[in-house]
Amino acid sequence: MKIEQLISQEEIQSRVKEIGAQISKDYAGEEICLICVLKGGIMFMVDLAKEITIPVTMDFMAVSSYGNEQVSSGIVKIVKDLDDPIEGKHVLIVEDIIDSGRTLHYLINMLKERNPASIEICTLLDKPEQRLVDVPVAYVGFVIPDQFVLGYGLDYEQRYRNLPYVGVVKPEKE
Ligand code: IMP
Ligand code: MG
């Protein structure tokens, strides 16, 4: 499979630094609970957490919405729930990418019912062209065109998550 670099490791790192600084400023004097949406959000969350200077707790959640397809099934299933309650906490959901918006729409509404003090979304990538459900996003790393991307947490059939950059799949020439 031919992969072309879309966002370099350096670009990601400097944007992550900016977002971390912004979050530290926006939540100054508070503690935040970062919720990683597994598995895609993992690289972003660990790098982002290191750039946040206010107190942080971390929890993890796994949902499945895509199977191994490149198109959204629209079905969101909780595969792993949070370990701890979020009631009264300032929650920041950390995602790899928003496409149709279905996953985060479902997640944020579900988590709101647990009465957090506040709840916001931070996504590394945003593909607004295919949005079906409107979701409020507080922090966006990069807005990208409607292309299938991988790397830095994002997979293609569970592989390529370990690429340090975000790449796009190029069709093989005949
Ligand atoms: P949504 O529910 O359509 O917004 O889809 C969001 C989820 O689909 C993300 O958390 C990703 O796991 C996956 N996804 C969407 N677009 C891509 C992509 O281009 N590459 C890899 N995964 C993607
Ligand atoms: Mg994901």
Side-chain angles (χ1 to χ4, degrees):
M1 204 164 75
K2 206 159 167 268
I3 299 165
E4 197 171 90
Q5 185 173 287
L6 185 69
I7 308 167
S8 71
Q9 189 171 5
E10 292 71 28
E11 287 175 286
I12 296 170
Q13 296 313 325
S14 83
R15 188 73 187 107
V16 168
K17 268 193 175 42
E18 285 175 4
I19 298 171
Q22 188 63 51
I23 291 170
S24 307
K25 211 171 114 193
D26 293 350
Y27 290 87
E30 309 283 355
E31 176 180 284
I32 49 168
C33 174
L34 299 179
I35 293 182
C36 175
V37 186
L38 294 171
K39 303 167 185 154
I42 187 71
M43 300 287 182
F44 182 37
M45 184 161 114
V46 294
D47 284 346
L48 182 65
K50 288 180 272 184
E51 302 298 336
I52 298 176
T53 52
I54 56 167
V56 158
T57 62
M58 296 182 200
D59 209 341
F60 300 84
M61 181 150 212
V63 299
S64 88
S65 61
Y66 264 48
N68 282 334
E69 303 300 315
Q70 288 191 10
V71 285
S72 177
S73 62
I75 302 159
V76 179
K77 196 174 82 190
I78 302 293
V79 178
K80 185 219 168 291
D81 205 340
L82 299 174
D83 288 339
D84 300 312
I86 54 167
E87 188 171 349
K89 295 183 183 174
H90 292 289
V91 170
L92 187 60
I93 303 174
V94 183
E95 242 299 33
D96 51 357
I97 188 166
I98 308 184
D99 188 13
S100 71
R102 280 165 158 157
T103 308
L104 280 172
H105 175 78
Y106 178 87
L107 253 187
I108 198 165
N109 288 325
M110 190 196 83
L111 294 177
K112 270 180 185 167
E113 286 175 22
R114 302 184 189 180
N115 299 314
S118 69
I119 185 160
E120 298 291 350
I121 293 168
C122 176
T123 186
L124 177 71
L125 304 172
D126 184 7
K127 285 203 290 198
E129 284 168 50
Q130 293 295 320
R131 194 77 88 253
L132 295 174
V133 203
D134 194 36
V135 266
V137 188
Y139 307 95
V140 176
F142 303 90
V143 177
I144 59 166
D146 183 26
Q147 285 173 303
F148 190 81
V149 289
L150 43 72
Y152 197 70
L154 293 122
D155 73 302
Y156 172 65
E157 294 181 353
Q158 297 304 325
R159 298 199 176 84
Y160 306 100
R161 294 190 196 275
N162 60 318
L163 293 179
Y165 57 87
V166 172
V168 46
V169 181
K170 286 280 140 189
E172 300 280 353
K173 289 212 175 75
E174 295 293 307

PDB file of all heavy atoms in Angstrom, residues 48-75:
ATOM      1  N   LEU A  48      -0.592  15.060  24.031  1.00  0.00           N
ATOM      2  CA  LEU A  48      -1.310  16.244  24.511  1.00  0.00           C
ATOM      3  C   LEU A  48      -1.192  16.382  26.035  1.00  0.00           C
ATOM      4  O   LEU A  48      -0.929  17.472  26.546  1.00  0.00           O
ATOM      5  CB  LEU A  48      -2.787  16.149  24.106  1.00  0.00           C
ATOM      6  CG  LEU A  48      -3.683  17.317  24.467  1.00  0.00           C
ATOM      7  CD1 LEU A  48      -3.260  18.583  23.711  1.00  0.00           C
ATOM      8  CD2 LEU A  48      -5.153  16.997  24.163  1.00  0.00           C
ATOM      9  N   ALA A  49      -1.362  15.276  26.734  1.00  0.00           N
ATOM     10  CA  ALA A  49      -1.321  15.297  28.202  1.00  0.00           C
ATOM     11  C   ALA A  49       0.005  15.883  28.696  1.00  0.00           C
ATOM     12  O   ALA A  49       0.043  16.620  29.686  1.00  0.00           O
ATOM     13  CB  ALA A  49      -1.530  13.895  28.759  1.00  0.00           C
ATOM     14  N   LYS A  50       1.091  15.583  27.967  1.00  0.00           N
ATOM     15  CA  LYS A  50       2.411  16.070  28.373  1.00  0.00           C
ATOM     16  C   LYS A  50       2.567  17.573  28.195  1.00  0.00           C
ATOM     17  O   LYS A  50       3.469  18.174  28.760  1.00  0.00           O
ATOM     18  CB  LYS A  50       3.499  15.329  27.580  1.00  0.00           C
ATOM     19  CG  LYS A  50       3.662  13.878  28.030  1.00  0.00           C
ATOM     20  CD  LYS A  50       4.743  13.161  27.244  1.00  0.00           C
ATOM     21  CE  LYS A  50       4.183  12.549  25.987  1.00  0.00           C
ATOM     22  NZ  LYS A  50       5.176  11.762  25.219  1.00  0.00           N
ATOM     23  N   GLU A  51       1.703  18.163  27.395  1.00  0.00           N
ATOM     24  CA  GLU A  51       1.756  19.610  27.144  1.00  0.00           C
ATOM     25  C   GLU A  51       0.791  20.392  28.026  1.00  0.00           C
ATOM     26  O   GLU A  51       0.715  21.614  27.942  1.00  0.00           O
ATOM     27  CB  GLU A  51       1.446  19.914  25.672  1.00  0.00           C
ATOM     28  CG  GLU A  51       2.380  19.241  24.678  1.00  0.00           C
ATOM     29  CD  GLU A  51       3.834  19.691  24.830  1.00  0.00           C
ATOM     30  OE1 GLU A  51       4.072  20.798  25.354  1.00  0.00           O
ATOM     31  OE2 GLU A  51       4.723  18.919  24.429  1.00  0.00           O
ATOM     32  N   ILE A  52       0.022  19.689  28.848  1.00  0.00           N
ATOM     33  CA  ILE A  52      -0.942  20.357  29.725  1.00  0.00           C
ATOM     34  C   ILE A  52      -0.310  20.562  31.094  1.00  0.00           C
ATOM     35  O   ILE A  52       0.246  19.627  31.666  1.00  0.00           O
ATOM     36  CB  ILE A  52      -2.258  19.540  29.816  1.00  0.00           C
ATOM     37  CG1 ILE A  52      -2.901  19.460  28.415  1.00  0.00           C
ATOM     38  CG2 ILE A  52      -3.230  20.165  30.816  1.00  0.00           C
ATOM     39  CD1 ILE A  52      -4.152  18.600  28.348  1.00  0.00           C
ATOM     40  N   THR A  53      -0.406  21.795  31.591  1.00  0.00           N
ATOM     41  CA  THR A  53       0.309  22.129  32.825  1.00  0.00           C
ATOM     42  C   THR A  53      -0.590  22.164  34.058  1.00  0.00           C
ATOM     43  O   THR A  53      -0.112  22.353  35.170  1.00  0.00           O
ATOM     44  CB  THR A  53       1.002  23.501  32.663  1.00  0.00           C
ATOM     45  OG1 THR A  53       0.026  24.456  32.221  1.00  0.00           O
ATOM     46  CG2 THR A  53       2.127  23.432  31.640  1.00  0.00           C
ATOM     47  N   ILE A  54      -1.896  21.993  33.876  1.00  0.00           N
ATOM     48  CA  ILE A  54      -2.812  21.932  35.025  1.00  0.00           C
ATOM     49  C   ILE A  54      -2.998  20.458  35.417  1.00  0.00           C
ATOM     50  O   ILE A  54      -2.641  19.572  34.638  1.00  0.00           O
ATOM     51  CB  ILE A  54      -4.181  22.579  34.676  1.00  0.00           C
ATOM     52  CG1 ILE A  54      -4.776  21.899  33.432  1.00  0.00           C
ATOM     53  CG2 ILE A  54      -4.033  24.082  34.468  1.00  0.00           C
ATOM     54  CD1 ILE A  54      -6.218  22.231  33.179  1.00  0.00           C
ATOM     55  N   PRO A  55      -3.568  20.189  36.616  1.00  0.00           N
ATOM     56  CA  PRO A  55      -3.751  18.787  37.009  1.00  0.00           C
ATOM     57  C   PRO A  55      -4.679  18.024  36.051  1.00  0.00           C
ATOM     58  O   PRO A  55      -5.705  18.546  35.621  1.00  0.00           O
ATOM     59  CB  PRO A  55      -4.385  18.894  38.399  1.00  0.00           C
ATOM     60  CG  PRO A  55      -4.031  20.251  38.900  1.00  0.00           C
ATOM     61  CD  PRO A  55      -3.969  21.126  37.686  1.00  0.00           C
ATOM     62  N   VAL A  56      -4.265  16.807  35.747  1.00  0.00           N
ATOM     63  CA  VAL A  56      -4.964  15.983  34.761  1.00  0.00           C
ATOM     64  C   VAL A  56      -5.203  14.583  35.318  1.00  0.00           C
ATOM     65  O   VAL A  56      -4.340  14.025  35.990  1.00  0.00           O
ATOM     66  CB  VAL A  56      -4.084  15.889  33.479  1.00  0.00           C
ATOM     67  CG1 VAL A  56      -4.442  14.683  32.638  1.00  0.00           C
ATOM     68  CG2 VAL A  56      -4.180  17.163  32.643  1.00  0.00           C
ATOM     69  N   THR A  57      -6.375  14.040  35.058  1.00  0.00           N
ATOM     70  CA  THR A  57      -6.573  12.603  35.242  1.00  0.00           C
ATOM     71  C   THR A  57      -6.898  12.040  33.866  1.00  0.00           C
ATOM     72  O   THR A  57      -7.267  12.790  32.957  1.00  0.00           O
ATOM     73  CB  THR A  57      -7.727  12.278  36.217  1.00  0.00           C
ATOM     74  OG1 THR A  57      -8.954  12.792  35.684  1.00  0.00           O
ATOM     75  CG2 THR A  57      -7.478  12.859  37.602  1.00  0.00           C
ATOM     76  N   MET A  58      -6.726  10.745  33.727  1.00  0.00           N
ATOM     77  CA  MET A  58      -6.971  10.126  32.419  1.00  0.00           C
ATOM     78  C   MET A  58      -7.852   8.908  32.567  1.00  0.00           C
ATOM     79  O   MET A  58      -7.702   8.136  33.507  1.00  0.00           O
ATOM     80  CB  MET A  58      -5.654   9.661  31.795  1.00  0.00           C
ATOM     81  CG  MET A  58      -4.687  10.754  31.487  1.00  0.00           C
ATOM     82  SD  MET A  58      -3.237  10.011  30.717  1.00  0.00           S
ATOM     83  CE  MET A  58      -2.053  11.304  31.001  1.00  0.00           C
ATOM     84  N   ASP A  59      -8.741   8.757  31.630  1.00  0.00           N
ATOM     85  CA  ASP A  59      -9.544   7.545  31.588  1.00  0.00           C
ATOM     86  C   ASP A  59      -9.710   7.144  30.119  1.00  0.00           C
ATOM     87  O   ASP A  59      -9.407   7.947  29.224  1.00  0.00           O
ATOM     88  CB  ASP A  59     -10.894   7.768  32.274  1.00  0.00           C
ATOM     89  CG  ASP A  59     -11.460   6.483  32.875  1.00  0.00           C
ATOM     90  OD1 ASP A  59     -11.027   5.379  32.465  1.00  0.00           O
ATOM     91  OD2 ASP A  59     -12.346   6.574  33.752  1.00  0.00           O
ATOM     92  N   PHE A  60     -10.163   5.941  29.904  1.00  0.00           N
ATOM     93  CA  PHE A  60     -10.189   5.412  28.545  1.00  0.00           C
ATOM     94  C   PHE A  60     -11.527   4.777  28.240  1.00  0.00           C
ATOM     95  O   PHE A  60     -12.147   4.166  29.103  1.00  0.00           O
ATOM     96  CB  PHE A  60      -9.074   4.363  28.379  1.00  0.00           C
ATOM     97  CG  PHE A  60      -7.708   4.921  28.623  1.00  0.00           C
ATOM     98  CD1 PHE A  60      -7.207   5.006  29.913  1.00  0.00           C
ATOM     99  CD2 PHE A  60      -6.943   5.401  27.581  1.00  0.00           C
ATOM    100  CE1 PHE A  60      -5.945   5.554  30.162  1.00  0.00           C
ATOM    101  CE2 PHE A  60      -5.685   5.945  27.800  1.00  0.00           C
ATOM    102  CZ  PHE A  60      -5.181   6.019  29.103  1.00  0.00           C
ATOM    103  N   MET A  61     -11.919   4.939  27.009  1.00  0.00           N
ATOM    104  CA  MET A  61     -13.189   4.397  26.584  1.00  0.00           C
ATOM    105  C   MET A  61     -12.989   3.824  25.184  1.00  0.00           C
ATOM    106  O   MET A  61     -12.257   4.394  24.378  1.00  0.00           O
ATOM    107  CB  MET A  61     -14.151   5.579  26.529  1.00  0.00           C
ATOM    108  CG  MET A  61     -15.513   5.244  26.144  1.00  0.00           C
ATOM    109  SD  MET A  61     -16.537   6.457  26.984  1.00  0.00           S
ATOM    110  CE  MET A  61     -17.917   5.448  27.243  1.00  0.00           C
ATOM    111  N   ALA A  62     -13.624   2.708  24.915  1.00  0.00           N
ATOM    112  CA  ALA A  62     -13.505   2.153  23.561  1.00  0.00           C
ATOM    113  C   ALA A  62     -14.887   2.001  22.959  1.00  0.00           C
ATOM    114  O   ALA A  62     -15.798   1.457  23.585  1.00  0.00           O
ATOM    115  CB  ALA A  62     -12.784   0.804  23.595  1.00  0.00           C
ATOM    116  N   VAL A  63     -15.043   2.540  21.772  1.00  0.00           N
ATOM    117  CA  VAL A  63     -16.294   2.390  21.053  1.00  0.00           C
ATOM    118  C   VAL A  63     -15.973   1.800  19.688  1.00  0.00           C
ATOM    119  O   VAL A  63     -14.868   1.947  19.196  1.00  0.00           O
ATOM    120  CB  VAL A  63     -17.028   3.742  20.868  1.00  0.00           C
ATOM    121  CG1 VAL A  63     -17.376   4.360  22.203  1.00  0.00           C
ATOM    122  CG2 VAL A  63     -16.241   4.712  20.022  1.00  0.00           C
ATOM    123  N   SER A  64     -16.923   1.132  19.115  1.00  0.00           N
ATOM    124  CA  SER A  64     -16.685   0.680  17.753  1.00  0.00           C
ATOM    125  C   SER A  64     -17.805   1.201  16.872  1.00  0.00           C
ATOM    126  O   SER A  64     -18.973   1.143  17.221  1.00  0.00           O
ATOM    127  CB  SER A  64     -16.575  -0.840  17.685  1.00  0.00           C
ATOM    128  OG  SER A  64     -17.839  -1.411  17.512  1.00  0.00           O
ATOM    129  N   SER A  65     -17.409   1.780  15.767  1.00  0.00           N
ATOM    130  CA  SER A  65     -18.410   2.321  14.858  1.00  0.00           C
ATOM    131  C   SER A  65     -18.130   1.933  13.420  1.00  0.00           C
ATOM    132  O   SER A  65     -18.990   2.047  12.569  1.00  0.00           O
ATOM    133  CB  SER A  65     -18.474   3.840  14.972  1.00  0.00           C
ATOM    134  OG  SER A  65     -17.232   4.408  14.637  1.00  0.00           O
ATOM    135  N   TYR A  66     -16.923   1.467  13.169  1.00  0.00           N
ATOM    136  CA  TYR A  66     -16.521   1.297  11.773  1.00  0.00           C
ATOM    137  C   TYR A  66     -16.268  -0.139  11.334  1.00  0.00           C
ATOM    138  O   TYR A  66     -16.279  -0.424  10.155  1.00  0.00           O
ATOM    139  CB  TYR A  66     -15.222   2.091  11.501  1.00  0.00           C
ATOM    140  CG  TYR A  66     -15.470   3.444  10.927  1.00  0.00           C
ATOM    141  CD1 TYR A  66     -16.403   4.297  11.487  1.00  0.00           C
ATOM    142  CD2 TYR A  66     -14.757   3.878   9.819  1.00  0.00           C
ATOM    143  CE1 TYR A  66     -16.630   5.543  10.972  1.00  0.00           C
ATOM    144  CE2 TYR A  66     -14.972   5.119   9.297  1.00  0.00           C
ATOM    145  CZ  TYR A  66     -15.918   5.967   9.879  1.00  0.00           C
ATOM    146  OH  TYR A  66     -16.133   7.202   9.370  1.00  0.00           O
ATOM    147  N   GLY A  67     -16.036  -1.048  12.274  1.00  0.00           N
ATOM    148  CA  GLY A  67     -15.566  -2.362  11.878  1.00  0.00           C
ATOM    149  C   GLY A  67     -14.273  -2.171  11.120  1.00  0.00           C
ATOM    150  O   GLY A  67     -13.480  -1.306  11.456  1.00  0.00           O
ATOM    151  N   ASN A  68     -14.074  -2.910  10.076  1.00  0.00           N
ATOM    152  CA  ASN A  68     -12.869  -2.721   9.290  1.00  0.00           C
ATOM    153  C   ASN A  68     -13.163  -2.031   7.965  1.00  0.00           C
ATOM    154  O   ASN A  68     -12.403  -2.108   7.027  1.00  0.00           O
ATOM    155  CB  ASN A  68     -12.149  -4.058   9.066  1.00  0.00           C
ATOM    156  CG  ASN A  68     -11.378  -4.469  10.308  1.00  0.00           C
ATOM    157  OD1 ASN A  68     -10.981  -3.611  11.103  1.00  0.00           O
ATOM    158  ND2 ASN A  68     -11.204  -5.752  10.512  1.00  0.00           N
ATOM    159  N   GLU A  69     -14.286  -1.354   7.925  1.00  0.00           N
ATOM    160  CA  GLU A  69     -14.670  -0.674   6.688  1.00  0.00           C
ATOM    161  C   GLU A  69     -14.144   0.762   6.700  1.00  0.00           C
ATOM    162  O   GLU A  69     -13.877   1.336   7.733  1.00  0.00           O
ATOM    163  CB  GLU A  69     -16.203  -0.630   6.565  1.00  0.00           C
ATOM    164  CG  GLU A  69     -16.879  -1.981   6.615  1.00  0.00           C
ATOM    165  CD  GLU A  69     -16.424  -2.892   5.494  1.00  0.00           C
ATOM    166  OE1 GLU A  69     -16.346  -2.414   4.351  1.00  0.00           O
ATOM    167  OE2 GLU A  69     -16.124  -4.062   5.766  1.00  0.00           O
ATOM    168  N   GLN A  70     -14.065   1.339   5.530  1.00  0.00           N
ATOM    169  CA  GLN A  70     -13.651   2.737   5.452  1.00  0.00           C
ATOM    170  C   GLN A  70     -14.860   3.674   5.491  1.00  0.00           C
ATOM    171  O   GLN A  70     -14.717   4.880   5.419  1.00  0.00           O
ATOM    172  CB  GLN A  70     -12.846   2.989   4.167  1.00  0.00           C
ATOM    173  CG  GLN A  70     -11.463   2.355   4.229  1.00  0.00           C
ATOM    174  CD  GLN A  70     -10.571   2.810   3.091  1.00  0.00           C
ATOM    175  OE1 GLN A  70     -10.905   3.728   2.364  1.00  0.00           O
ATOM    176  NE2 GLN A  70      -9.444   2.167   2.942  1.00  0.00           N
ATOM    177  N   VAL A  71     -16.055   3.102   5.579  1.00  0.00           N
ATOM    178  CA  VAL A  71     -17.253   3.944   5.642  1.00  0.00           C
ATOM    179  C   VAL A  71     -17.992   3.705   6.955  1.00  0.00           C
ATOM    180  O   VAL A  71     -17.956   2.615   7.516  1.00  0.00           O
ATOM    181  CB  VAL A  71     -18.230   3.664   4.467  1.00  0.00           C
ATOM    182  CG1 VAL A  71     -17.693   4.261   3.191  1.00  0.00           C
ATOM    183  CG2 VAL A  71     -18.497   2.182   4.307  1.00  0.00           C
ATOM    184  N   SER A  72     -18.663   4.747   7.451  1.00  0.00           N
ATOM    185  CA  SER A  72     -19.329   4.668   8.740  1.00  0.00           C
ATOM    186  C   SER A  72     -20.557   3.768   8.678  1.00  0.00           C
ATOM    187  O   SER A  72     -21.374   3.862   7.781  1.00  0.00           O
ATOM    188  CB  SER A  72     -19.752   6.071   9.173  1.00  0.00           C
ATOM    189  OG  SER A  72     -20.458   5.995  10.387  1.00  0.00           O
ATOM    190  N   SER A  73     -20.683   2.886   9.665  1.00  0.00           N
ATOM    191  CA  SER A  73     -21.854   2.021   9.733  1.00  0.00           C
ATOM    192  C   SER A  73     -22.995   2.736  10.455  1.00  0.00           C
ATOM    193  O   SER A  73     -24.150   2.344  10.330  1.00  0.00           O
ATOM    194  CB  SER A  73     -21.504   0.742  10.500  1.00  0.00           C
ATOM    195  OG  SER A  73     -21.145   1.070  11.822  1.00  0.00           O
ATOM    196  N   GLY A  74     -22.643   3.775  11.225  1.00  0.00           N
ATOM    197  CA  GLY A  74     -23.654   4.495  11.978  1.00  0.00           C
ATOM    198  C   GLY A  74     -23.991   3.825  13.297  1.00  0.00           C
ATOM    199  O   GLY A  74     -24.755   4.343  14.091  1.00  0.00           O
ATOM    200  N   ILE A  75     -23.412   2.666  13.523  1.00  0.00           N
ATOM    201  CA  ILE A  75     -23.682   1.951  14.773  1.00  0.00           C
ATOM    202  C   ILE A  75     -22.536   2.200  15.740  1.00  0.00           C
ATOM    203  O   ILE A  75     -21.375   1.978  15.411  1.00  0.00           O
ATOM    204  CB  ILE A  75     -23.834   0.429  14.522  1.00  0.00           C
ATOM    205  CG1 ILE A  75     -24.969   0.190  13.521  1.00  0.00           C
ATOM    206  CG2 ILE A  75     -24.075  -0.315  15.833  1.00  0.00           C
ATOM    207  CD1 ILE A  75     -24.882  -1.163  12.834  1.00  0.00           C
TER     208      ILE A  75
END
